[in-house]
Amino acid sequence: MIDTDEPTVVDEEMLQQAVEEQGPKGQAGVIAKQETIELKDVLHLRLDYRHILKIDHLWQFTSLTKLQLDNNIIEKITGLEFLTNLVWLDLSFNHIEAIEGLEALVKLEDLSLSNNSISTMENMDTLVNLHVLSICNNKLTQLDNVIYLRKFKNLRALNLAGNPVSTEECYKEFIAVYLPDLAYLDFRLLNEQTREEAMAKYQYALEELIHNETQELRVIEAKNQKEEELQQHREAFVDLLNGSQLFEGMYADDTEAERLAYLPGVPMLNQMVALCVQLFELGLVQKRARDEEVKCFFDCFHEAVEDNQQVASEKIVDFEKARREMLLEMQRMMDREELLARIGQGSKETCDLHDELMTLELQLADQLEDVVKDFERNISDMVASFIEAAQGIYPFITIRRPGVYCAPTGCTCSLTCLVCTFAQCRDLENIHNEKLLEISMATLEKVAKNELEEESQDELRALLVDKDTVMSAIGASHDTHLLKIDNREDELVTRINSWVASLMKTIHHDEVARNRKRIAEIHNYIDNVKEKLDDLNPS
């Protein structure tokens, strides 16, 4: 405990002192202090009665499950974002005015905020495992604020005594009906009689609340489902290609589109939507194929590692059995030369085991290297094929009937057309541009002959000042459309290539780490065996 009236901040010196004070006592404590206690291994920490104003420097306590910060002068909850394993937290008897900074404490089960200045229960949405909440002697005045706690389905004990809200006449009944899973309120059991009386009193209000919650839940579920689908589309690299998004984006960025739309008989690019949808469907099919390839690789990888480890384990088990018998035999030996000979034999057997284990690891590393190479070649070929299909680098068969399987991409198209590509989108845009030029030239002639219809004459005359003005507007529109298509194509190619590169980098890194760890395990084991043999050497 710090004997000072001055506000303090949690710092490294305070933390080290607290850990030492709460660590082992006596000789065990001396040893622990000499070896230096690792803060990342500390499970419980008391920082009460230390006049703490600000929480800080707790980032090293990643294993902490219980933290006591009561009876300080803390005004704001901060510095807890690294304590993701925290189960029990006491912040009572402080100067806290708002609940905040608890988002990372997803494992928290017991939270005490008693004797503070909190006026609203909020910002606890991530505490889904909360069992006990003590927030007595605060400034909670709104009984409706209790409804916020309905989202905590595991909440069993709640303490609100000493808040203005607890003096309301319907306090107990209100909480009993709106928190049906709550077992204890203010340290007293909520009995069935109280619940029945509360239900009779608030039945219609509760039914309306449940109805509204159900509607909100449906909206949230629909939103989550949509986000999950979009994430799947992102992972297939064809997000926002399952409709008119690319088409609409072309015109959204086209500053000349509105003026050009006044030209009579301007064709629409609706066919592009169908092409994008086909490309989208192709992307999903290709993603499923890649996912299956990745799964097959990791299954094969892990199976090879497990089989190798099984063989190595059997060798070690046999060796340990023989070693135990050898140690018993050596302990009974009286002849020094015989003992030395047996130690030499044991050393040779240990070296032989080392060679066998290292050979096994070498064989596994070679096997996995081949597996990784095959996978890298396969996944790279799959990605290259998809990119070529999307770009239209090589020709595909024409789909003659709706729903015909589209070799070699695996896309089941629903329209009679060539397999979808960005090249086709550009072709459509080029055709559209040529048609627009024809229409504009014909319209210019009508302007010259004063043959335009009255209702569109003013708008068209503003556009059709002369041939150069029209050509400039059409050219700018065309460039904008092509740029949008090119950018989306570049985005697809860049993202999928980055995915392959990142995946292979991770695989290679993990395999190197696995190999080094296994070799270190073998060396450590063999060194330990040799050390025990050396201890038996009479010389």
Side-chain angles (χ1 to χ4, degrees), residues 74-89:
I74 298 168
E75 297 178 350
K76 189 178 179 69
I77 305 174
T78 59
L80 304 178
E81 58 271 18
F82 296 100
L83 310 184
T84 54
N85 288 303
L86 209 60
V87 174
W88 190 95
L89 174 63

Side-chain angles (χ1 to χ4, degrees), residues 357-504:
L357 294 178
M358 292 298 290
T359 299
L360 279 173
E361 176 55 28
L362 180 61
Q363 292 172 348
L364 176 61
D366 290 342
Q367 179 184 358
L368 294 180
E369 183 179 1
D370 292 339
V371 170
V372 171
K373 285 181 179 178
D374 288 343
F375 170 73
E376 186 169 12
R377 181 170 55 253
N378 291 344
I379 202 70
S380 297
D381 288 347
M382 294 176 75
V383 167
S385 296
F386 175 51
I387 291 175
E388 290 171 354
Q391 292 179 320
I393 292 176
Y394 56 80
F396 290 91
I397 64 170
T398 301
I399 306 302
R400 300 298 182 186
R401 300 185 305 278
V404 172
Y405 186 77
C406 180
T409 67
C411 174
T412 303
C413 298
S414 58
L415 298 174
T416 303
C417 62
L418 287 172
V419 173
C420 41
T421 65
F422 284 109
Q424 285 179 278
C425 289
R426 278 187 285 270
D427 289 343
L428 278 177
E429 167 57 28
N430 290 330
I431 293 171
H432 173 268
N433 185 63
E434 291 172 3
K435 185 66 176 177
L436 202 57
L437 288 170
E438 292 176 8
I439 293 172
S440 64
M441 294 302 101
T443 307
L444 273 173
E445 292 182 6
K446 289 184 178 181
V447 170
K449 297 176 181 179
N450 201 26
E451 297 177 352
L452 287 179
E453 298 179 3
E454 288 295 329
E455 60 270 17
S456 60
Q457 191 168 2
D458 292 340
E459 292 83 356
L460 283 174
R461 287 188 183 281
L463 171 66
L464 304 174
V465 176
D466 53 38
K467 182 178 179 180
D468 290 341
T469 302
V470 176
M471 295 291 288
S472 177
I474 293 175
S477 175
H478 184 48
D479 290 344
T480 299
H481 293 184
L482 289 179
L483 180 62
K484 195 73 175 181
I485 296 170
D486 291 346
N487 287 345
R488 186 62 185 88
E489 179 182 353
D490 291 343
E491 179 190 348
L492 184 150
V493 173
T494 300
R495 283 170 53 196
I496 196 169
N497 282 332
S498 296
W499 171 77
V500 172
S502 177
L503 175 63
M504 295 313 306

Side-chain angles (χ1 to χ4, degrees), residues 87-101:
V87 174
W88 190 95
L89 174 63
D90 189 352
L91 284 163
S92 58
F93 293 93
N94 279 285
H95 299 165
I96 298 168
E97 296 183 355
I99 301 175
E100 58 189 335

